[in-house]
Structure formats: C-alpha cells, structure tokens
C-alpha cells in the first residue's frame, strides 16, 4: 500500500510520514521544491508538485492507493483542497484522510474553518472512502512563544479564560496513520483532543511553574492582537486567526470526556496533555 502525503515536510505532515513508515506503509511525499526532500527519510518517494497545479497532482497520485490531505492556512485553501480531492475521486483512490478542525461547523465565519467545512461536505457527498480528523488548538503552536515566555515573561495568545480543546501534533499523526493503514475507519470523524482544557491564565500559570519565573497572560484584546500580528503576516491571515481566537472566546471550543475516550480507544493510549508537552518543551529549551 502506498500513501501520498501532502505537506510532507511540514510540522504535521512530517510526523504523519514517520507514523506511516512505522506501520509498514510505502510513502510518497508531495513537496513543492526539490530542495525540501532533505527533510524526508531515505525510504520516502518524492513527488514534486503544487496543489494549485492539477497536472502535477495527478502525476503525483499515479500508483498511489490512499491520500493524506492537509492544506496550509492560505487564501486559496479551499481551491487547493478541492483540486486534490477531485483528482483523487476521478482516479479512484481507495481512501482519503483529511485534516479538518475541531467544531468546524460552529465557526462558519472563520475563513479557514469555512474552507474545511466545505471540503468535509465534498468528502461526504461523493463515493471515495474517507476519514476526517478534527484537532483542537495545536499545542506545538506555543513553541513559537519561546522569546515571549523566556524574555519578558508573557503568554500572548488570547485563548480566553473558559478553557478550550488542544491537540498534540503527534496524536494527529498517529490517528492519521491508523486511519490509513487499518480497516474500520471509513466515513468516521475523529476529534483529536487532549485530556484537559487549556486557557490563557492556565497556560501562563503552567509556564510560570516550569520556567521558575512569573508569566503574565496578556489578555484577550483582539483588536490589539490582530494589529500586532499584521506586522508578522499578511493582513488577511491576521484577520483569519483573530476571528478564530475571538470565536473561541465568544462561543466555546471545549471538548468532552466522551470525545477524549473515543480518541483514547483509537490511539490505544491516553492523548498527550498540554502539561506534558510544556514540560518536554521546557527541557528542550534548557538543554
């Protein structure tokens, strides 16, 4: 069995590649430029292509049985995803595992959530066997907060105070590999969520304990946060992420014990916690 992995050198895709190899699958990695293949294990076959180039995608899918489809948060995310899915459908791939997002149906005003919801609709409408994975807030996003945490002692993500669902990328990768290498996961949607919720003040308190210094939660002024993020990314992306985070705050993004139990059964172990992730990350920073 051969699986094509999109985004194969990215944070999630590279982990999916590793988990598939552990389970004995052959892997073909879709990458945009030849110089990206140095990040891949030697046994991985490389296909050069772009998700906006249907010709290259069809070529990459030749001889492939299944597809792991992940799309970056980009302005044309929906187009990219539907091109890949449309070709997979046309050539008759045996299974598509798609990375969506937790509670996607409740965040239709968030651009990249709305794109994922539309792709989910296509997956359910047509005849290709599929699995949908819906992760919460990526824990590994917070690795990028090292300077703020270890410098001025700030936790700057406006996650609110109510508690939201988080997901470890390693659990996402395991779930993806299981869905692609084992039977019984057709037409299933799995929420990828940690055993406990996270919040802005809670994360600040945890990092305070781990780093041995006071970490302050900067609060949830979404106008100010979006303004600051425009200096680091395109304005459309800052708006998109602002809408996501404000949605967490205005509605709710909490997981349940039932969802955690279902993921535990799928993985064969308890999902990784934010507390464990933060402790591991602190050790790496101190190494």
């Amino acid at each position: 069995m051969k699986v094509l992995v999109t985004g194969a050198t990215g944070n999630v895709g590279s982990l999916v590649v590793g988990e598939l190899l552990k389970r004995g699958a052959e892997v073909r990695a879709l990458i945009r430029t030849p110089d990206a293949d140095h990040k891949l294990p030697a046994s991985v076959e490389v296909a050069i292509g772009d998700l906006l180039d249907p010709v290259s995608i069809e070529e990459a899918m030749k001889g492939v049985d299944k597809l792991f489809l992940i799309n970056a948060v980009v302005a044309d995310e929906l187009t990219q995803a539907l091109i890949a899915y449309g070709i997979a459908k046309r050539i008759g791939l045996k299974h598509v595992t798609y990375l969506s997002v937790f509670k996607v149906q409740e965040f239709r005003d968030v651009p990249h959530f709305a794109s994922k919801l539309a792709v989910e609709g296509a997956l359910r409408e047509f005849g290709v066997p599929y699995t949908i994975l819906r992760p919460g807030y990526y824990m590994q996003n917070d690795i990028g907060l090292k300077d703020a945490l270890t410098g001025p002692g700030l936790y700057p993500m406006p996650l609110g105070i109510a508690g939201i669902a988080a997901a470890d990328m390693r659990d996402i990768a395991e779930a993806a590999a299981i869905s692609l290498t084992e039977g019984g996961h057709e037409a299933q949607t799995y929420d990828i969520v940690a055993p406990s919720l996270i919040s802005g003040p809670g994360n600040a308190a945890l990092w305070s304990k781990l780093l041995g210094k006071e970490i302050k939660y900067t609060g949830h002024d979404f106008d100010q946060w979006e303004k600051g993020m425009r200096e680091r990314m395109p304005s459309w992306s800052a708006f998109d992420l602002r809408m996501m985070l404000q949605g967490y705050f205005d509605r709710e993004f909490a997981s349940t014990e039932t969802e955690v139990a279902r993921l535990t059964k799928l993985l064969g172990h308890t999902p990784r916690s934010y507390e464990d992730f933060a402790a591991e990350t602190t050790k790496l920073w101190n190494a």
Side-chain angles (χ1 to χ4, degrees), residues 41-60:
S43 60
V44 173
E45 186 180 332
V46 171
I48 308 298
D50 189 306
L51 288 170
L52 288 175
D53 177 11
V55 175
S56 70
I57 298 306
E58 184 164 2
E59 186 65 27

Side-chain angles (χ1 to χ4, degrees), residues 8-219:
T9 56
N11 293 328
V12 174
S14 60
L15 293 172
V16 173
V17 168
E19 290 294 335
L20 286 168
L21 293 175
K22 284 182 188 177
R23 290 164 172 78
E26 293 182 62
V27 177
R28 181 180 294 168
L30 181 69
I31 61 176
R32 294 183 65 182
T33 57
D35 59 353
D37 63 357
H38 71 277
K39 300 179 182 178
L40 296 164
S43 60
V44 173
E45 186 180 332
V46 171
I48 308 298
D50 189 306
L51 288 170
L52 288 175
D53 177 11
V55 175
S56 70
I57 298 306
E58 184 164 2
E59 186 65 27
M61 288 187 188
K62 288 181 179 177
V64 164
D65 302 295
K66 299 181 179 182
L67 170 67
F68 175 71
L69 180 58
I70 179 174
N71 297 94
V73 178
V74 291
D76 48 15
E77 177 179 350
L78 178 58
T79 299
Q80 291 190 20
L82 291 181
I83 287 173
Y85 178 68
I87 294 170
K89 177 166 62 72
R90 189 172 72 210
I91 67 178
L93 291 196
K94 297 175 182 177
H95 194 97
V96 174
T97 291
Y98 175 63
L99 189 64
S100 184
V101 66
F102 186 58
K103 289 187 177 291
V104 64
Q105 74 283 358
E106 297 176 23
F107 290 77
R108 299 168 193 261
D109 56 340
V110 179
H112 73 281
F113 279 53
S115 294
K116 289 176 170 61
L117 185 61
V119 176
E120 285 196 12
L123 289 167
R124 293 188 174 95
E125 184 172 349
F126 301 101
V128 181
Y130 68 88
T131 303
I132 295 169
L133 306 180
R134 289 178 163 184
Y137 174 86
Y138 288 2
M139 297 178 192
Q140 281 78 6
N141 287 345
D142 287 3
I143 293 174
L145 305 181
K146 180 180 179 180
D147 289 346
L149 292 167
T150 60
L154 301 175
Y155 185 81
M157 292 301 296
L159 300 183
I161 59 177
I164 67 168
D168 192 297
M169 291 181 183
R170 293 167 292 184
D171 289 338
I172 298 171
E174 281 190 47
I178 289 167
S179 72
L180 290 160
T181 59
E182 300 178 6
H185 304 291
E186 293 79 6
Q188 296 298 311
T189 298
Y190 296 109
D191 298 305
I192 314 299
V193 289
S196 57
L197 304 178
I198 64 172
S199 69
N203 285 4
L206 175 62
W207 287 109
S208 294
K209 180 179 178 181
L210 291 170
L211 295 173
K213 59 181 288 186
E214 183 182 10
I215 305 295
K216 295 181 179 179
Y217 174 51
T218 56

Side-chain angles (χ1 to χ4, degrees), residues 241-261:
L241 295 178
R242 178 256 176 83
M243 292 296 290
M244 175 187 76
L245 291 163
Q246 188 165 359
Y248 294 170
F249 186 83
D250 292 342
R251 288 157 247 177
E252 63 92 18
F253 197 66
S255 52
T256 66
E257 290 183 4
T258 299
E259 290 157 349
V260 174

